[in-house]
Amino acid sequence: MAKKWVYMFSEGDMTMRNLLGGKGANLAEMSSIGLPVPQGFTITTEACTQYYEDGRKINDEIMGQAMEGVKKMEELNGKKFGDLTNPLLVSVRSGARASMPGMMDTILNLGLNDEVVAAMIKGNPDPAFERFVYDSYRRFIQMFSDVVMEVGKKYFEQLIDAMKEKKGVKFDVDLTAADLKELALQFKEEYKKQLGKDFPSDPVEQLKLAIEAVFRSWDNPRANVYRRDNDIPYSWGTAVNVMPMVFGNLNDESGTGVAFTRDPATGEKKLMGEFLKNAQGEDVVAGVRTPMPIVQMEQEFPEAYKQFIEVCETLENHYHDMQDMEFTVENKKLYMLQCRNGKRTAQAALKIACDLVDEGHKTEEEAVAMIDPRNLDTLLHPQFDAAALKAATPIGKGLGASPGAACGKIVFTADDAVAWADRGEKVILVRLETSPEDITGMKSAEGILTVRGGMTSHAAVVARGMGECCVSGCGDITMDEENKRFTLAGKEFKEGDFISIDGTTGNIYDGVIETVDASIAGEFGRIMDWADKYRKLKVRTNADTPADAKKARELGAEGIGLCRTEHMFFDEERIAAFREMICSDTVEERKAALDKILPYQQSDFEGIFEAMEGNPVTIRFLDPPLHEFVPNTEEEIEKLASAQGKSVQDIKDIISGLHEFNPMMGHRGCRLTVTFPEIAEMQTSAIIRAAIAVSKKHSDWKMVPEIMIPLVGDAKEFKFVKDIVVKTADLEINKAGASLEYEVGTMIEIPRAALTADEIAAEADFFCFGTNDLTQMTFGFSRDDAGKFLNAYYDTKIYEADPFAKLDQTGVGKLMDMCLTLGRPVNPALHAGICGEHGGDPSSVEFCHKIGLDYVSCSPFRVPVARLAAAQAAIAEKEEAKKNGFVDEETRKMLEEAAEKAEAIAKELAETSADIARSGLEALKAGVEAAAKTYKENRKS
């Protein structure tokens, strides 16, 4: 039997998301619950995969089934594809299983050609209908040329602008039927000029090319960037949805809109959306015309609006989540074209999740699972300082499309945003309106400001998804993109000028406004409490200063997983002493120099121990190669030479001698201690003295400092350094007359350490995976240089993600799992964590949960992200276990306890029954004996 590649909407439902994509599954589901959906069909995601396997071609079997779908669609709708009497026009839309707004392609009004257009007009003499037909035709030619044939839409926009200027009108809707007919002719001429061939007139050919274009768009640059940012595998593919056109641009009794059942910016439970009369959906999302608020639809189309409100309630109650919907009204009749769980800001996500629990739609666990942990970042970033904001006067106002505050230098193109950001500049991307091609520039910018577009424009939707500040639809701006300048409030702003934008209020300010850290409370605290309730992984932070440690504690960190001591050496007084140590000729001179640093180190550690309030603190010994600490300028070299009593040339020779061809694999980490044991002695003394001092002040705190030895590759190497630590630490503890526990462990960042983990575990108290270096050494490329060639690896699909941002679970992850498998049987008390950048990446946190790490450690502002991701990992594991008939550890223990109680009760009952039985037998025996005796006596008498 042939594989099924095509499903009518009546054949699917919401559970078939992986096969039908999100849009197809939801169209099928809306159909099944009786909502007004134009009946069409979906070509599966598997067909997309097959398209790529077949060398980017649609095979005959898939196309054959698609045409069968067209026949069924014709029967359902009473129209015929390509017919001159009653033609069926269709839309062709993408629909991946994960929502990717604006990333892939759509084609509307497909099936039109000169003959069909003429026949449609002939059948309806109304001049308004003629205008509608030519409007649909010119839209189709432009969209097909751009999306399917990759002829830039700018060519067509220039023709439209020229026509509007010639006719003296501002908007497309003001163009007449004759104007649009002339435009359609110009568009076809432009098509032939660009491609050297006529615009295709065969509807079947149009359909095949459009389906191919949607499949092809799965691999377009913007979709690839979006997938990498959102952990969407390339292998998923996209579905294609083909459905009959309904026309919002038919007349003034028609229109189109986008709406959300709750405010996607704040989470407030109210209908929010926009509507345009006499328009198609692309007009709303592209921001070409500024739409009216959704509530005004009630005045224009009261019956359709009333039905739409009922549909909103039905969908939210059905999906138990905030819905994002696209719809069209044709001659006052409502049609639903899409629904999905709506993209929302982090602030809105928290409020909606809590409200859904309070309303009975979700359990606590479901609420935790529905929030994207990455979006929490946006809650934790700076906002405008209240005092500075009060003193500032807005120069303009748009729509607050995505909350947050941003200030930076103005740039006008996506490419400039990327280039300026790469050189360290903070920029605001200012555009007439954004398009999907601008995605990389939008990512690089601090914020986005657009002249056109509403709350559901491309800029607004994508910015909210990325958690980036956005102000849209500031129509007071007079834009001159060609010369890279705009005018607002009578002032001309040029590229490089500073502006500030408020994505909550929509206000725009001249110059820079000071920012402050965001404050978090309310729903954030409630969601975090739920996350902590369900997660198993502990969450620590990477912090090198008391201020960082304090901030991390405020955000829920349960300790420090990585304190990098080298960052403490760069203060002016300390670096001078450390350079003395580097340039010393004898052990005594090195110790004398290190003695100057010891009090600073101790003070630093005391501050960090205080900030952590008795929670675990892991301190890593000096890691970088020594050449990073030597002077670079002539002035600094002369100063060091003078302090050391050496010549300038002597110092230069020492510096030259520290040069390494590959310093990241050179004389660093524990290798420094093997060469210069006195460095480890000084750092151990500082750690132990600090811990003792803080313990005396806080006797109720359980202080157990964790001393971490970096870059270990051999058990003997670890033991050598550990012996120095233990000897020094015990001496300090005895000298202070104190009682202090401490642990000595290692970073696992060299593949050999993972491969010999059983040998190292015999000596180590803990392992901590330094996945930045472990990734670097496993892949064999430098994280500092990999950016030069990784894009080529993404383009060729060798890698789907940056292995330094998202943990490589196949290779690096296998080493981690192997390390634990080898190490824990040797040392059952061994605890293990991760402290690379991956500790704050949600998919990496999930992997850490799966392999049984005890904690993850990440930067302070990523702590809430890790807490939520850890909870989601535990909840997902529990759900998966239920699905497979297994139970989680907590439930297993509960069942075991219940079984033990049941067994005890059964045993007690058995014993009781036996006692009762014995008593009964004895009573019966006594009764029988008594009866026999009486019988004998009676016989005698």
Side-chain angles (χ1 to χ4, degrees), residues 583-604:
C583 295
S584 296
D585 296 320
T586 66
V587 172
E588 289 71 28
E589 287 178 356
R590 280 196 292 275
K591 285 187 173 180
L594 290 166
D595 283 344
K596 295 178 186 178
I597 300 171
L598 195 152
Y600 294 117
Q601 284 260 279
Q602 181 179 336
S603 174
D604 290 331

Side-chain angles (χ1 to χ4, degrees), residues 448-466:
I448 301 148
L449 170 62
T450 69
V451 180
R452 300 174 186 159
M455 295 290 281
T456 52
S457 65
H458 175 268
V461 171
V462 173
R464 280 198 295 269
M466 293 193 300

Side-chain angles (χ1 to χ4, degrees), residues 306-376:
K306 181 185 175 188
Q307 186 185 2
F308 181 66
I309 294 298
E310 291 168 358
V311 167
C312 291
E313 188 175 348
T314 298
L315 286 174
E316 186 160 292
N317 288 334
H318 189 74
Y319 285 98
H320 304 291
D321 199 354
M322 182 264 274
Q323 292 300 294
D324 168 4
M325 301 152 295
E326 292 180 17
F327 64 94
T328 285
V329 175
E330 180 183 299
N331 276 330
K332 298 186 178 181
K333 180 172 170 53
L334 176 71
Y335 294 93
M336 298 302 298
L337 306 182
Q338 175 174 301
C339 78
R340 62 188 174 197
N341 293 340
K343 296 284 182 185
R344 62 206 75 181
T345 64
Q347 176 188 345
L350 298 179
K351 176 168 175 53
I352 290 170
C354 289
D355 287 351
L356 289 174
V357 171
D358 294 339
E359 293 164 20
H361 284 291
K362 299 280 186 187
T363 64
E364 290 176 359
E365 288 170 289
E366 288 169 337
V368 167
M370 70 185 286
I371 296 167
D372 186 342
R374 292 165 299 196
N375 288 350
L376 293 184

Side-chain angles (χ1 to χ4, degrees), residues 215-264:
F215 283 155
R216 194 168 61 240
S217 72
W218 177 248
D219 196 26
N220 71 34
R222 64 182 186 266
N224 286 331
V225 169
Y226 189 92
R227 275 200 305 276
R228 281 204 301 275
D229 288 347
N230 292 276
D231 293 336
I232 300 171
Y234 176 73
S235 58
W236 282 5
T238 183
V240 179
N241 299 287
V242 180
M243 58 198 297
M245 282 297 302
V246 283
F247 298 99
N249 63 330
L250 180 62
N251 50 38
D252 283 339
E253 293 186 339
S254 306
T256 188
V258 175
F260 301 85
T261 55
R262 301 180 191 232
D263 190 323

